[in-house]
Amino acid sequence: MALSAPPAVLLLAFVPALLWGFTPVIEKRALSDGGTPLQAALTVVVVDSAVYLLALALFNPDPFADLTLETVAVFAAAGAVGTAMGRLAIFAGNARVGASISSAAVSSRPLFATALAVGFLGEPLSPPTAVGIVVIVVGLAVLSVSRGGDLSGWTTRDLLVPLAAALLFAAGNVARRWGLGFGEATPLEAVAVNEFAALVALGGYVLATGRKRVAGKPPKTYLVFAASGFITAVALLSMFTALAAPEGRIAVVDPIVATAPLFTVVFSWLWLGGLERVTRGVVVGVVLVVVGAVLVTGGPALIGT
């Protein structure tokens, strides 16, 4: 049976799935210890931006020299919207509904990517995609009544926060794939522009709204968010490299990345027993969302049919 892409591309897409399945768990722990979503988002983007700039200085003596203004603008917009606003929403969702529920809701992003493509680009809606949309909606409904997630309780309205993150990430991923298609930027250059733009956007927001939600938090929370930033740097570079490959289509890469909630459920069950409840409803809802995401973005391509 033929693979949908070379093994290297599939492995590159699997790395962020595993890593982003783990980071919500440690972030939830830090958020419960006094951290805030804005502090988390800013710390993560400061760390991964520093990692990328250092990597560029070491491995690319003349970075960004071949990039046109249009290419830079695409990745900057993706960073300001899909990364800065998206991460802020995902951390807020994690704090409200818990790591397992939030991760599953965010992985519904193919639903929004498809809606954007159908509504604004006039792309057709295939039968597998339509079925996938229904499966995602059912999965989200199951999650909303699962009685799982954050032990302090949450409402269905709280689920809108990670769903907003899914919408923002979907828009960002489509823009990144478009920008990488220009053939000018290396994955490292693309992700560096993306993250620096996110840093500027979040930094500006902090300056405009005050530093109380960022400064003066427990020291260990900064360490956890910094570790998450380093992990995110590896995950993002891996995803960008997969998308930059000729075979790295969204329909191949995004469904694999969208399996992250399956890992989050396992890690939550292992390490968040005092903060979250992983019920059968949570497991069923997560599986439905992941299966729906695979169908929406071209499930047959993943199995070589």
Side-chain angles (χ1 to χ4, degrees):
M1 181 174 60
L3 295 175
S4 58
V9 173
L10 299 179
L11 180 60
L12 286 167
F14 177 76
V15 168
L18 178 62
L19 296 180
W20 282 330
F22 174 68
T23 52
V25 175
I26 61 173
E27 290 159 0
K28 176 62 178 179
R29 181 67 65 180
L31 289 166
S32 67
D33 287 338
T36 68
L38 183 56
Q39 172 206 3
L42 184 62
T43 304
V44 166
V45 79
V46 166
V47 171
D48 66 11
S49 295
V51 169
Y52 295 136
L53 292 176
L54 178 60
L56 280 172
L58 291 175
F59 302 113
N60 192 334
D62 192 19
F64 314 119
D66 297 327
L67 303 189
T68 63
L69 183 60
E70 180 182 9
T71 298
V72 172
V74 169
F75 292 120
V81 176
T83 300
M85 296 173 61
R87 280 195 195 149
L88 191 55
I90 195 174
F91 286 125
N94 194 336
R96 292 191 183 195
V97 303
S100 55
I101 302 291
S102 178
S103 180
V106 170
S107 285
S108 69
R109 63 182 176 274
L111 168 66
F112 298 102
T114 300
L116 291 172
V118 172
F120 294 99
L121 301 179
E123 293 188 3
L125 185 65
S126 67
T129 297
V131 172
I133 290 173
V134 173
V135 173
I136 288 176
V137 172
V138 172
L140 292 173
V142 171
L143 286 174
S144 69
V145 297
S146 64
R147 298 184 182 277
D150 197 289
L151 287 177
S152 63
W154 53 276
T155 66
T156 301
R157 180 179 295 181
D158 292 326
L159 200 59
L160 294 176
V161 180
L163 286 175
L167 172 60
L168 294 166
F169 286 145
N173 274 356
V174 172
R176 291 167 191 135
R177 177 58 178 167
W178 181 37
L180 287 167
F182 295 158
E184 300 173 0
T186 65
L188 184 56
E189 289 173 328
V191 75
V193 173
N194 183 95
E195 293 304 288
F196 187 74
L199 175 59
V200 172
L202 283 172
Y205 180 72
V206 170
L207 291 176
T209 60
R211 296 179 294 174
K212 292 183 178 180
R213 287 183 289 172
V214 174
K217 305 304 175 186
K220 62 182 179 182
T221 62
Y222 293 100
L223 293 176
V224 172
F225 294 141
S228 179
F230 181 80
I231 295 172
T232 294
V234 175
L236 261 180
L237 184 57
S238 183
M239 186 182 74
F240 269 64
T241 305
L243 288 172
E247 304 87 350
R249 295 175 292 117
I250 286 288
V252 173
V253 175
D254 212 41
I256 297 175
V257 177
T259 62
L262 298 176
F263 299 104
T264 304
V265 166
V266 175
F267 293 136
S268 296
W269 178 72
L270 289 173
W271 293 317
L272 293 180
L275 296 173
E276 293 193 20
R277 182 185 298 112
V278 179
T279 64
R280 291 181 180 178
V282 171
V283 175
V284 171
V286 166
V287 171
L288 286 172
V289 170
V290 170
V291 170
V294 171
L295 288 171
V296 166
T297 50
L302 289 176
I303 56 176
T305 60

